[in-house]
Amino acid sequence: MRRSAYFLPTLKETPSEAQIVSHRLMLRAGMIRQASAGIYSWLPLGFRVLKNIERIVREEQDAAGCQEILMPTIQSADLWKQSGRYEDYGKEMLRIEDRHGREMLYGPTNEELITDIFKSAVKSYRDLPKLLYHIQWKFRDEVRPRFGIMRGREFLMKDSYSFDLDYEGAKEAYNKMFVAYLRTFARMDLKAIPMEADTGPIGGNLSHEFIILADTGESEVYCNRDFVDFDVLGSDVEYRDVEGLATIVDHFTSLYACTDEKHDAAEFERRVPEDRRHVGRGIEVGHIFYFGDKYSAPLGAFVTKPDDSQVAVHMGSYGIGVSRLAGAIIEASHDAAGIVWPESIAPFKVGLINLKAGDADCTRVCEEIYGQLRGAGIEVLYDDSEERGGAKFAEMDLIGLPWQLVVGPRGIKQGVVELKQRRGGDRQELSSESALARLTA
Ligand code: P5A
């Protein structure tokens, strides 16, 4: 992509309405624009990031055997009346009336709808287990939308739902998602700690929030520091290996980690040695629930068992805040100059800077490199604009691409270009061939 053609409305000034660094940087880097309170448009740079987050989430869900579907954003109120949540959800639910006077709503979550879909198709234990997910916009009329897309009213969620014959089956599904979540966040260079949590309006009695430690987070957390040392990407997970999954989950759940609602000061002191205790704040990027027959019983999702009796299926639901993750990753990875994207999430891998756009040699070398990078399938943002060098450097640092390749007249005379790594700031002068080899390796 050529910078001169790209829709990248970066801001020089720090927007005064933004209270936390990720919100400020997302606005300054031209990733999002507010449409109304808690509702945002995603501009090209931000949209690429959102798609990359989605891709990783999707790959890990698919690997765990979860099948993708797509449910609508607008739902009928009927199912919600059957589950009893139409009233319970209160003002957080956006209620809509259609032209025929029918009560509709903009879905804040999909337990009711998926249970209805499942019920119409599955009647026997033979068709279990099932794991389904979708990635869809949700609406919650939050009292205090804030921090940009972190706590929005409209936000993108990945939500999965599991259906099993009994508690043991449901716990296996829970463990699968637990491990898939550890892997998903690790691939984004995030350390997300599973913490025992309250279930709120979703319900049930077994639940973990996946939380990234950050001072700007909205959750208050208490945990054992030993979480920091576990490598979940070290080996591939075999999702059919029920024992193997349980071992990983047991390792995590044996360590103390709770959100404030579940925190018990006496137990914290008993279970965690003083030098391992961590008390702080964090950002909730995922939340998983087991709630048994809370929805299947009232909505009539029963299956026949081998002995021909009927049982309401055991269900769980598993959410990831896809749009919130864009902000969470920035909170976890930035410096004074701007965003520092992990490679897996970066909107482009390389920023190619032409230091003197009017110079024939600089432009020739840049065009050559640009063509070669694109030919090698590398995503590159080529700053071919007439701006000053200083402004180009500042903007590249702000938008946080992992690599910067700088081409200037002085270097060209010596046959070199400069390759800078955004994280850590390492710079190296080398031939354009060597730079290409590094980037395509
Ligand atoms: C689980 C999937 C649920 O809704 N039902 C389907 C369950 N869980 S949850 O914890 O309420 O939400 C799941 C994740 O969505 C993100 N999230 C938000 N992101 C941005 N703005 C919001 N207002 C918002 N509310 C929830 C969180 O990451 C949460 O873990």
Side-chain angles (χ1 to χ4, degrees):
M1 177 58 65
R2 286 171 195 272
R3 175 66 184 93
S4 56
Y6 201 41
F7 184 63
L8 181 63
T10 53
L11 306 176
K12 303 258 171 334
E13 305 293 313
T14 296
S16 59
E17 76 269 26
Q19 298 164 24
I20 60 172
V21 67
S22 59
H23 189 195
R24 281 197 290 273
L25 288 173
M26 287 182 86
L27 291 170
R28 284 191 51 213
M31 291 177 64
I32 54 167
R33 280 291 176 274
Q34 182 173 304
S36 52
I39 304 180
Y40 288 83
S41 302
W42 291 75
L43 308 187
L45 193 79
F47 193 56
R48 290 178 81 101
V49 167
L50 195 63
K51 289 285 156 195
N52 285 340
I53 295 171
E54 247 187 59
R55 175 179 45 77
I56 293 176
V57 168
R58 180 174 283 120
E59 283 171 6
E60 291 298 327
Q61 290 294 299
D62 292 347
C66 208
Q67 298 171 45
E68 187 167 11
I69 63 171
L70 184 58
M71 291 179 272
T73 53
I74 308 286
Q75 305 178 25
S76 154
D78 295 347
L79 293 170
W80 288 73
K81 288 181 178 164
Q82 286 177 46
S83 72
R85 280 208 295 184
Y86 194 56
E87 298 313 321
D88 292 356
Y89 237 93
K91 291 206 163 188
E92 217 162 281
M93 183 139 79
L94 181 64
R95 292 150 210 266
I96 304 168
E97 195 181 281
D98 74 7
R99 67 198 297 163
H100 307 292
R102 276 183 282 230
E103 291 173 283
M104 314 287 286
L105 56 98
Y106 194 125
T109 175
N110 287 58
E111 279 80 7
E112 283 80 357
L113 191 54
I114 192 91
T115 305
D116 192 56
I117 292 169
F118 174 87
K119 159 192 155 179
S120 66
V122 176
K123 309 285 179 204
S124 160
Y125 73 93
R126 288 191 197 87
D127 299 320
L128 295 179
K130 284 284 172 288
L131 256 171
L132 302 170
Y133 77 99
H134 75 160
I135 300 176
Q136 179 61 293
W137 294 90
K138 305 288 186 283
F139 194 92
R140 293 180 185 174
D141 206 349
E142 304 274 352
V143 207
R144 277 220 299 156
R146 56 181 187 153
F147 302 158
I149 46 82
M150 272 303 198
R151 177 162 300 278
R153 294 199 296 164
E154 191 182 45
F155 61 96
L156 190 60
M157 190 199 287
K158 184 286 298 176
D159 37 328
S160 313
Y161 302 88
S162 64
F163 303 88
D164 286 273
L165 191 60
D166 49 26
Y167 171 75
E168 284 66 37
K171 186 65 177 36
E172 279 173 29
Y174 192 92
N175 288 353
K176 266 187 198 171
M177 285 298 118
F178 195 108
V179 173
Y181 276 33
L182 292 172
R183 291 179 57 83
T184 301
F185 300 128
R187 284 183 60 186
M188 302 173 185
D189 285 1
L190 294 174
K191 276 241 173 298
I193 301 177
M195 309 228 183
E196 286 177 46
D198 249 5
T199 59
I202 307 295
N205 49 25
L206 171 63
S207 165
H208 285 89
E209 282 181 14
F210 286 75
I211 291 189
I212 292 161
L213 300 181
D215 295 337
T216 49
E218 293 189 287
S219 313
E220 213 177 296
V221 299
Y222 301 81
C223 70
N224 188 320
R225 289 182 196 280
D226 293 342
F227 275 109
V228 182
D229 314 319
F230 194 83
D231 177 18
V232 280
L233 295 177
S235 60
D236 276 347
V237 181
E238 183 52 77
Y239 282 100
R240 278 171 305 188
D241 173 11
V242 174
E243 286 302 313
L245 293 178
T247 308
I248 299 175
V249 173
D250 287 348
H251 165 77
F252 279 93
T253 49
S254 68
L255 294 172
Y256 188 97
C258 292
T259 60
D260 57 342
E261 307 104 12
K262 284 277 169 180
H263 173 63
D264 175 337
E267 201 184 329
F268 188 46
E269 281 170 25
R270 189 175 60 75
R271 282 177 55 191
V272 189
E274 198 167 352
D275 64 327
R276 307 309 298 152
R277 285 178 209 151
H278 175 83
V279 179
R281 304 192 73 77
I283 303 166
E284 176 199 334
V285 288
H287 198 165
I288 62 177
F289 303 81
Y290 164 72
F291 41 70
D293 64 1
K294 173 169 176 184
Y295 302 94
S296 54
L299 293 168
F302 291 87
V303 293
T304 51
K305 298 213 287 192
D307 66 6
D308 256 4
S309 64
Q310 296 265 310
V311 63
V313 288
H314 287 246
M315 289 177 58
S317 72
Y318 314 87
I320 290 183
V322 174
S323 48
R324 174 178 289 182
L325 271 166
I329 292 166
I330 296 174
E331 289 292 327
S333 186
H334 65 268
D335 61 18
I339 303 169
V340 183
W341 291 115
E343 285 224 5
S344 61
I345 300 296
F348 297 91
K349 179 170 176 172
V350 186
L352 173 61
I353 298 179
N354 186 347
L355 270 187
K356 207 164 182 197
D359 180 280
D361 284 337
C362 281
T363 302
R364 180 181 45 77
V365 172
C366 278
E367 292 290 337
E368 260 170 41
I369 295 177
Y370 183 53
Q372 284 161 334
L373 284 171
R374 295 195 347 146
I378 291 186
E379 293 177 319
V380 49
L381 181 65
Y382 167 26
D383 192 343
D384 57 343
S385 69
E386 309 274 334
E387 283 284 338
R388 305 174 288 114
K392 291 186 176 188
F393 290 136
E395 184 178 273
M396 276 300 173
D397 280 352
L398 171 66
I399 67 173
L401 310 183
W403 297 96
Q404 296 173 12
L405 195 53
V406 186
V407 178
R410 189 186 50 83
I412 286 184
K413 286 203 190 84
Q414 300 162 2
V416 295
V417 296
E418 189 184 69
L419 184 62
K420 174 181 154 188
Q421 193 162 14
R422 177 67 179 87
R423 190 183 302 280
D426 265 4
R427 295 160 190 275
Q428 221 182 332
E429 290 202 328
L430 66 194
S431 68
S432 59
E433 292 76 28
S434 310
L436 280 164
R438 283 278 294 281
L439 294 170
T440 51

